[in-house]
Amino acid sequence: MGIDSAEAAVAPSTTLKRPQEHTDDAAIVAKRAKPEPIENTTVSTAQSVATPTEKTDQRSGGRKGQKQRGKKEKDKDYVRTRRRGTRPEGEEIPTPENGESKAPRLPKRPCALLMGFCGDGYNGMQIQPDPDVRTIEGVLFDALIKVGAVSQDNSDNPTKVKLGRAARTDAGVHAAGNVVSLKLINVIPGVPDLVARLNEELPPEIRIWSIVRVQNSFNARTTCDSRKYTYFFPSYLMIPPKPESGLHNTLKTQGVEWEPHPFWENANPTGTPQDDLKRKRAYRITADRLAALRDAANKFEGSHNFHNFTVGRDFRDRSCQRFLKSIEIVDPAVYGDTEWIAVLLHGQSFMLHQRKMISALVLSCRTGTPPQLIEELYGPRQVFIPKMPALGLLLEYPIFESYCRRVAGVNEKLQLGDPEYRAPIDFEAHRAQLDDFKQNHIYAKMRSIEDRHGIFDGWIRSIDGYGGHDLEYLNPKGIVPQSAVIKRGESRMNPFREKKRYDATSFPVGGSSATDAVKEEENSEDEEAPLPLDKDELADLEG
């Protein structure tokens, strides 16, 4: 009901007698100057009429309102000090100790920060409410405040500057390129080069490549078209399971006919895992095994239901439908004593724990399982796929093709120095810096950790040591048997237990690494379970 209608509802009836002409003029004016009844009636009338949207929210239990309240509560978690406007009545406004006036407000503009980082020692990319939890964004946000790119008024809550990221990486995962979007002060008095000034404040494992002024509608996550990742692993993972191991015996019951593999034929029967690892480092993948790996990898390309390659989602969840643009397995390269294989993935988006894709690829090829298994895993049957170690995952960079085309069209009519000119987001313009950073801060650490601790060897031995039903989809037919199917709400006999060790990327330097690895494998078991998150929270963990 509009204001006009409300006024009509309370206006005096036209049948009433008009005031006498001799009535005091001041009284007439006073009567005409009473807006309160009209305003009050307007409010109460409007409140009593529910809109269709409000009725829908009431019928659905107020889900929309609950979501909005939940978001507000989440935002409040970031507040470290009392926000402006909440000072108790009567409390004096604090003044600086030096008596100087408050710094003048500087305009903030929507910007994209192109950055890279080594995730070793960090609890993931996304900033957390707890300041004691060290994250990439947390360190970056503090640096932005220190250099003056984020004002003190906005320093208590990153949501005030609309902080977002193109891809959220897990704890320890590295990124040669990622994009953070926010509103920042990009012109600061006394700071001629903001990128250089930020890099002075940041630790060497976090680098800013450039700061790009973007359109107001830009959001790093939703504007991103696709992302490129690389996964690295030693080629010795392609060696078949050790004879008489748990997985070897399971495969025999599934009908696999093993031919003696040269690696195990020449093994010392009384040799230790450390002895085996020394020999594994000298292994070089054969041409036929590399071809089998590439054939199986092609099954990932295209649009598929990836529910088996994540956690917390089932086949009916539409968000599991993802599109992988390309997957490429690069020719192996030897670094030190070990041969490494790189898998390049380019997809629109990736689900949480995408490392399961590489695990299914490696395990199926090393056991002689046909490539059609990958297609089987897109079906409704739910199975358990162990995660590959986090150590090998690298975010190359996100891609913004649509946005770049849009700004290119706008820029055609503008000059480079025009205030409305928007530069494209292009990581390839920083190719030399990215390659240098990857070699010195990511690859070198990754290889040294593997050399010292044998992370990938420990992981594959944990796979080979398992003799239960969870991995019985590894078989000569490439079909998921009923014995390997996981049914929601039903417990499994002898389930595979993943070890926390392989989700880490930071390890102590020195010590008896091989012995420590074996002990830690025995004491750090943790069965994977669906994360207690709703769909919105799971989506926020993906990238």
Side-chain angles (χ1 to χ4, degrees), residues 301-323:
E301 291 186 347
S303 181
H304 306 289
N305 189 317
F306 286 88
H307 74 102
N308 269 320
F309 300 94
T310 186
V311 293
R313 299 189 185 275
D314 58 29
F315 178 77
R316 295 167 296 179
D317 193 330
R318 292 183 179 180
S319 67
C320 296
Q321 200 73 23
R322 302 294 170 103
F323 180 69

PDB file of all heavy atoms in Angstrom, residues 301-323:
ATOM      1  N   GLU A 301      38.987 -35.153 -19.632  1.00  0.00           N
ATOM      2  CA  GLU A 301      38.616 -33.964 -20.397  1.00  0.00           C
ATOM      3  C   GLU A 301      37.117 -33.931 -20.683  1.00  0.00           C
ATOM      4  O   GLU A 301      36.485 -34.960 -20.892  1.00  0.00           O
ATOM      5  CB  GLU A 301      39.407 -33.905 -21.708  1.00  0.00           C
ATOM      6  CG  GLU A 301      40.896 -33.626 -21.513  1.00  0.00           C
ATOM      7  CD  GLU A 301      41.612 -33.428 -22.833  1.00  0.00           C
ATOM      8  OE1 GLU A 301      41.035 -33.742 -23.898  1.00  0.00           O
ATOM      9  OE2 GLU A 301      42.775 -32.982 -22.813  1.00  0.00           O
ATOM     10  N   GLY A 302      36.568 -32.724 -20.690  1.00  0.00           N
ATOM     11  CA  GLY A 302      35.146 -32.555 -20.960  1.00  0.00           C
ATOM     12  C   GLY A 302      34.346 -32.309 -19.698  1.00  0.00           C
ATOM     13  O   GLY A 302      34.888 -32.058 -18.609  1.00  0.00           O
ATOM     14  N   SER A 303      33.029 -32.399 -19.825  1.00  0.00           N
ATOM     15  CA  SER A 303      32.112 -32.159 -18.718  1.00  0.00           C
ATOM     16  C   SER A 303      31.711 -33.489 -18.074  1.00  0.00           C
ATOM     17  O   SER A 303      31.221 -34.387 -18.762  1.00  0.00           O
ATOM     18  CB  SER A 303      30.864 -31.424 -19.224  1.00  0.00           C
ATOM     19  OG  SER A 303      29.970 -31.168 -18.168  1.00  0.00           O
ATOM     20  N   HIS A 304      31.929 -33.596 -16.759  1.00  0.00           N
ATOM     21  CA  HIS A 304      31.648 -34.848 -16.053  1.00  0.00           C
ATOM     22  C   HIS A 304      31.150 -34.553 -14.642  1.00  0.00           C
ATOM     23  O   HIS A 304      31.281 -33.438 -14.145  1.00  0.00           O
ATOM     24  CB  HIS A 304      32.903 -35.727 -15.968  1.00  0.00           C
ATOM     25  CG  HIS A 304      33.558 -36.019 -17.282  1.00  0.00           C
ATOM     26  ND1 HIS A 304      32.997 -36.862 -18.214  1.00  0.00           N
ATOM     27  CD2 HIS A 304      34.712 -35.548 -17.826  1.00  0.00           C
ATOM     28  CE1 HIS A 304      33.790 -36.926 -19.279  1.00  0.00           C
ATOM     29  NE2 HIS A 304      34.833 -36.137 -19.073  1.00  0.00           N
ATOM     30  N   ASN A 305      30.623 -35.601 -14.016  1.00  0.00           N
ATOM     31  CA  ASN A 305      30.197 -35.517 -12.625  1.00  0.00           C
ATOM     32  C   ASN A 305      31.364 -35.995 -11.749  1.00  0.00           C
ATOM     33  O   ASN A 305      31.676 -37.181 -11.701  1.00  0.00           O
ATOM     34  CB  ASN A 305      28.954 -36.391 -12.398  1.00  0.00           C
ATOM     35  CG  ASN A 305      28.353 -36.176 -11.026  1.00  0.00           C
ATOM     36  OD1 ASN A 305      29.046 -36.086 -10.024  1.00  0.00           O
ATOM     37  ND2 ASN A 305      27.028 -36.110 -10.962  1.00  0.00           N
ATOM     38  N   PHE A 306      31.992 -35.058 -11.039  1.00  0.00           N
ATOM     39  CA  PHE A 306      33.197 -35.366 -10.274  1.00  0.00           C
ATOM     40  C   PHE A 306      32.903 -35.643  -8.800  1.00  0.00           C
ATOM     41  O   PHE A 306      33.753 -35.378  -7.946  1.00  0.00           O
ATOM     42  CB  PHE A 306      34.192 -34.203 -10.392  1.00  0.00           C
ATOM     43  CG  PHE A 306      34.883 -34.112 -11.725  1.00  0.00           C
ATOM     44  CD1 PHE A 306      34.329 -33.397 -12.774  1.00  0.00           C
ATOM     45  CD2 PHE A 306      36.092 -34.763 -11.937  1.00  0.00           C
ATOM     46  CE1 PHE A 306      34.969 -33.317 -14.000  1.00  0.00           C
ATOM     47  CE2 PHE A 306      36.738 -34.696 -13.160  1.00  0.00           C
ATOM     48  CZ  PHE A 306      36.173 -33.970 -14.197  1.00  0.00           C
ATOM     49  N   HIS A 307      31.734 -36.182  -8.488  1.00  0.00           N
ATOM     50  CA  HIS A 307      31.364 -36.376  -7.080  1.00  0.00           C
ATOM     51  C   HIS A 307      32.312 -37.324  -6.360  1.00  0.00           C
ATOM     52  O   HIS A 307      32.496 -37.209  -5.135  1.00  0.00           O
ATOM     53  CB  HIS A 307      29.917 -36.885  -6.974  1.00  0.00           C
ATOM     54  CG  HIS A 307      29.741 -38.323  -7.377  1.00  0.00           C
ATOM     55  ND1 HIS A 307      29.620 -39.339  -6.457  1.00  0.00           N
ATOM     56  CD2 HIS A 307      29.671 -38.905  -8.606  1.00  0.00           C
ATOM     57  CE1 HIS A 307      29.471 -40.490  -7.093  1.00  0.00           C
ATOM     58  NE2 HIS A 307      29.495 -40.256  -8.395  1.00  0.00           N
ATOM     59  N   ASN A 308      32.929 -38.262  -7.082  1.00  0.00           N
ATOM     60  CA  ASN A 308      33.851 -39.201  -6.441  1.00  0.00           C
ATOM     61  C   ASN A 308      35.243 -38.612  -6.221  1.00  0.00           C
ATOM     62  O   ASN A 308      36.089 -39.257  -5.589  1.00  0.00           O
ATOM     63  CB  ASN A 308      33.982 -40.479  -7.276  1.00  0.00           C
ATOM     64  CG  ASN A 308      32.965 -41.535  -6.868  1.00  0.00           C
ATOM     65  OD1 ASN A 308      32.699 -41.728  -5.681  1.00  0.00           O
ATOM     66  ND2 ASN A 308      32.376 -42.199  -7.850  1.00  0.00           N
ATOM     67  N   PHE A 309      35.474 -37.396  -6.718  1.00  0.00           N
ATOM     68  CA  PHE A 309      36.800 -36.795  -6.626  1.00  0.00           C
ATOM     69  C   PHE A 309      36.824 -35.622  -5.648  1.00  0.00           C
ATOM     70  O   PHE A 309      37.688 -34.750  -5.732  1.00  0.00           O
ATOM     71  CB  PHE A 309      37.259 -36.329  -8.012  1.00  0.00           C
ATOM     72  CG  PHE A 309      37.343 -37.456  -9.003  1.00  0.00           C
ATOM     73  CD1 PHE A 309      36.276 -37.747  -9.842  1.00  0.00           C
ATOM     74  CD2 PHE A 309      38.472 -38.256  -9.086  1.00  0.00           C
ATOM     75  CE1 PHE A 309      36.334 -38.790 -10.753  1.00  0.00           C
ATOM     76  CE2 PHE A 309      38.539 -39.304  -9.985  1.00  0.00           C
ATOM     77  CZ  PHE A 309      37.470 -39.578 -10.820  1.00  0.00           C
ATOM     78  N   THR A 310      35.869 -35.624  -4.719  1.00  0.00           N
ATOM     79  CA  THR A 310      35.817 -34.596  -3.691  1.00  0.00           C
ATOM     80  C   THR A 310      35.233 -35.222  -2.430  1.00  0.00           C
ATOM     81  O   THR A 310      35.137 -36.455  -2.333  1.00  0.00           O
ATOM     82  CB  THR A 310      34.959 -33.395  -4.172  1.00  0.00           C
ATOM     83  OG1 THR A 310      35.044 -32.349  -3.194  1.00  0.00           O
ATOM     84  CG2 THR A 310      33.507 -33.782  -4.394  1.00  0.00           C
ATOM     85  N   VAL A 311      34.832 -34.413  -1.467  1.00  0.00           N
ATOM     86  CA  VAL A 311      34.194 -34.910  -0.242  1.00  0.00           C
ATOM     87  C   VAL A 311      32.945 -34.086   0.021  1.00  0.00           C
ATOM     88  O   VAL A 311      32.811 -32.948  -0.430  1.00  0.00           O
ATOM     89  CB  VAL A 311      35.141 -34.806   0.975  1.00  0.00           C
ATOM     90  CG1 VAL A 311      36.314 -35.746   0.825  1.00  0.00           C
ATOM     91  CG2 VAL A 311      35.628 -33.372   1.163  1.00  0.00           C
ATOM     92  N   GLY A 312      32.004 -34.685   0.757  1.00  0.00           N
ATOM     93  CA  GLY A 312      30.827 -33.955   1.187  1.00  0.00           C
ATOM     94  C   GLY A 312      29.748 -33.764   0.135  1.00  0.00           C
ATOM     95  O   GLY A 312      28.793 -33.032   0.366  1.00  0.00           O
ATOM     96  N   ARG A 313      29.880 -34.403  -1.020  1.00  0.00           N
ATOM     97  CA  ARG A 313      28.874 -34.250  -2.079  1.00  0.00           C
ATOM     98  C   ARG A 313      28.550 -35.632  -2.661  1.00  0.00           C
ATOM     99  O   ARG A 313      29.390 -36.525  -2.651  1.00  0.00           O
ATOM    100  CB  ARG A 313      29.382 -33.321  -3.174  1.00  0.00           C
ATOM    101  CG  ARG A 313      29.693 -31.892  -2.687  1.00  0.00           C
ATOM    102  CD  ARG A 313      29.971 -30.984  -3.864  1.00  0.00           C
ATOM    103  NE  ARG A 313      30.380 -29.645  -3.472  1.00  0.00           N
ATOM    104  CZ  ARG A 313      29.554 -28.649  -3.180  1.00  0.00           C
ATOM    105  NH1 ARG A 313      28.244 -28.858  -3.223  1.00  0.00           N
ATOM    106  NH2 ARG A 313      30.000 -27.453  -2.841  1.00  0.00           N
ATOM    107  N   ASP A 314      27.330 -35.747  -3.201  1.00  0.00           N
ATOM    108  CA  ASP A 314      26.955 -37.015  -3.807  1.00  0.00           C
ATOM    109  C   ASP A 314      26.594 -36.803  -5.276  1.00  0.00           C
ATOM    110  O   ASP A 314      26.631 -35.689  -5.799  1.00  0.00           O
ATOM    111  CB  ASP A 314      25.805 -37.690  -3.044  1.00  0.00           C
ATOM    112  CG  ASP A 314      24.546 -36.812  -2.971  1.00  0.00           C
ATOM    113  OD1 ASP A 314      24.332 -35.992  -3.896  1.00  0.00           O
ATOM    114  OD2 ASP A 314      23.785 -36.957  -2.011  1.00  0.00           O
ATOM    115  N   PHE A 315      26.232 -37.887  -5.924  1.00  0.00           N
ATOM    116  CA  PHE A 315      25.992 -37.882  -7.367  1.00  0.00           C
ATOM    117  C   PHE A 315      24.886 -36.907  -7.777  1.00  0.00           C
ATOM    118  O   PHE A 315      24.934 -36.323  -8.866  1.00  0.00           O
ATOM    119  CB  PHE A 315      25.631 -39.311  -7.807  1.00  0.00           C
ATOM    120  CG  PHE A 315      25.302 -39.437  -9.267  1.00  0.00           C
ATOM    121  CD1 PHE A 315      26.306 -39.435 -10.226  1.00  0.00           C
ATOM    122  CD2 PHE A 315      23.985 -39.555  -9.680  1.00  0.00           C
ATOM    123  CE1 PHE A 315      26.006 -39.554 -11.568  1.00  0.00           C
ATOM    124  CE2 PHE A 315      23.667 -39.672 -11.023  1.00  0.00           C
ATOM    125  CZ  PHE A 315      24.684 -39.677 -11.973  1.00  0.00           C
ATOM    126  N   ARG A 316      23.896 -36.696  -6.918  1.00  0.00           N
ATOM    127  CA  ARG A 316      22.745 -35.858  -7.274  1.00  0.00           C
ATOM    128  C   ARG A 316      23.041 -34.362  -7.160  1.00  0.00           C
ATOM    129  O   ARG A 316      22.242 -33.546  -7.601  1.00  0.00           O
ATOM    130  CB  ARG A 316      21.556 -36.215  -6.379  1.00  0.00           C
ATOM    131  CG  ARG A 316      21.043 -37.641  -6.581  1.00  0.00           C
ATOM    132  CD  ARG A 316      20.096 -38.035  -5.472  1.00  0.00           C
ATOM    133  NE  ARG A 316      20.778 -38.076  -4.179  1.00  0.00           N
ATOM    134  CZ  ARG A 316      20.194 -38.365  -3.033  1.00  0.00           C
ATOM    135  NH1 ARG A 316      18.897 -38.623  -3.009  1.00  0.00           N
ATOM    136  NH2 ARG A 316      20.889 -38.381  -1.905  1.00  0.00           N
ATOM    137  N   ASP A 317      24.154 -34.021  -6.578  1.00  0.00           N
ATOM    138  CA  ASP A 317      24.515 -32.618  -6.395  1.00  0.00           C
ATOM    139  C   ASP A 317      24.962 -32.028  -7.739  1.00  0.00           C
ATOM    140  O   ASP A 317      25.960 -32.446  -8.319  1.00  0.00           O
ATOM    141  CB  ASP A 317      25.652 -32.509  -5.369  1.00  0.00           C
ATOM    142  CG  ASP A 317      25.876 -31.077  -4.901  1.00  0.00           C
ATOM    143  OD1 ASP A 317      25.621 -30.154  -5.699  1.00  0.00           O
ATOM    144  OD2 ASP A 317      26.307 -30.902  -3.757  1.00  0.00           O
ATOM    145  N   ARG A 318      24.219 -31.043  -8.236  1.00  0.00           N
ATOM    146  CA  ARG A 318      24.519 -30.477  -9.549  1.00  0.00           C
ATOM    147  C   ARG A 318      25.865 -29.765  -9.587  1.00  0.00           C
ATOM    148  O   ARG A 318      26.464 -29.627 -10.652  1.00  0.00           O
ATOM    149  CB  ARG A 318      23.412 -29.496  -9.958  1.00  0.00           C
ATOM    150  CG  ARG A 318      22.075 -30.160 -10.238  1.00  0.00           C
ATOM    151  CD  ARG A 318      21.056 -29.142 -10.709  1.00  0.00           C
ATOM    152  NE  ARG A 318      19.768 -29.763 -11.014  1.00  0.00           N
ATOM    153  CZ  ARG A 318      18.714 -29.098 -11.449  1.00  0.00           C
ATOM    154  NH1 ARG A 318      18.791 -27.779 -11.619  1.00  0.00           N
ATOM    155  NH2 ARG A 318      17.576 -29.725 -11.702  1.00  0.00           N
ATOM    156  N   SER A 319      26.337 -29.300  -8.437  1.00  0.00           N
ATOM    157  CA  SER A 319      27.612 -28.585  -8.413  1.00  0.00           C
ATOM    158  C   SER A 319      28.793 -29.503  -8.714  1.00  0.00           C
ATOM    159  O   SER A 319      29.900 -29.028  -8.941  1.00  0.00           O
ATOM    160  CB  SER A 319      27.823 -27.920  -7.054  1.00  0.00           C
ATOM    161  OG  SER A 319      27.994 -28.894  -6.045  1.00  0.00           O
ATOM    162  N   CYS A 320      28.569 -30.821  -8.712  1.00  0.00           N
ATOM    163  CA  CYS A 320      29.637 -31.764  -9.035  1.00  0.00           C
ATOM    164  C   CYS A 320      29.919 -31.829 -10.535  1.00  0.00           C
ATOM    165  O   CYS A 320      30.901 -32.436 -10.959  1.00  0.00           O
ATOM    166  CB  CYS A 320      29.301 -33.162  -8.524  1.00  0.00           C
ATOM    167  SG  CYS A 320      29.185 -33.264  -6.723  1.00  0.00           S
ATOM    168  N   GLN A 321      29.058 -31.233 -11.325  1.00  0.00           N
ATOM    169  CA  GLN A 321      29.264 -31.209 -12.778  1.00  0.00           C
ATOM    170  C   GLN A 321      30.280 -30.120 -13.095  1.00  0.00           C
ATOM    171  O   GLN A 321      30.008 -28.934 -12.950  1.00  0.00           O
ATOM    172  CB  GLN A 321      27.938 -30.935 -13.499  1.00  0.00           C
ATOM    173  CG  GLN A 321      27.919 -31.341 -14.959  1.00  0.00           C
ATOM    174  CD  GLN A 321      27.853 -32.850 -15.157  1.00  0.00           C
ATOM    175  OE1 GLN A 321      27.406 -33.558 -14.266  1.00  0.00           O
ATOM    176  NE2 GLN A 321      28.288 -33.321 -16.305  1.00  0.00           N
ATOM    177  N   ARG A 322      31.450 -30.524 -13.525  1.00  0.00           N
ATOM    178  CA  ARG A 322      32.526 -29.584 -13.834  1.00  0.00           C
ATOM    179  C   ARG A 322      33.077 -29.862 -15.229  1.00  0.00           C
ATOM    180  O   ARG A 322      32.925 -30.965 -15.765  1.00  0.00           O
ATOM    181  CB  ARG A 322      33.646 -29.689 -12.804  1.00  0.00           C
ATOM    182  CG  ARG A 322      33.216 -29.443 -11.360  1.00  0.00           C
ATOM    183  CD  ARG A 322      32.758 -28.011 -11.137  1.00  0.00           C
ATOM    184  NE  ARG A 322      32.137 -27.821  -9.839  1.00  0.00           N
ATOM    185  CZ  ARG A 322      32.749 -27.239  -8.803  1.00  0.00           C
ATOM    186  NH1 ARG A 322      33.982 -26.789  -8.921  1.00  0.00           N
ATOM    187  NH2 ARG A 322      32.105 -27.102  -7.657  1.00  0.00           N
ATOM    188  N   PHE A 323      33.727 -28.850 -15.784  1.00  0.00           N
ATOM    189  CA  PHE A 323      34.262 -28.949 -17.148  1.00  0.00           C
ATOM    190  C   PHE A 323      35.776 -28.788 -17.119  1.00  0.00           C
ATOM    191  O   PHE A 323      36.289 -27.744 -16.703  1.00  0.00           O
ATOM    192  CB  PHE A 323      33.638 -27.881 -18.046  1.00  0.00           C
ATOM    193  CG  PHE A 323      34.138 -27.926 -19.468  1.00  0.00           C
ATOM    194  CD1 PHE A 323      33.801 -28.979 -20.302  1.00  0.00           C
ATOM    195  CD2 PHE A 323      34.947 -26.919 -19.971  1.00  0.00           C
ATOM    196  CE1 PHE A 323      34.260 -29.029 -21.611  1.00  0.00           C
ATOM    197  CE2 PHE A 323      35.406 -26.956 -21.279  1.00  0.00           C
ATOM    198  CZ  PHE A 323      35.063 -28.016 -22.102  1.00  0.00           C
TER     199      PHE A 323
END
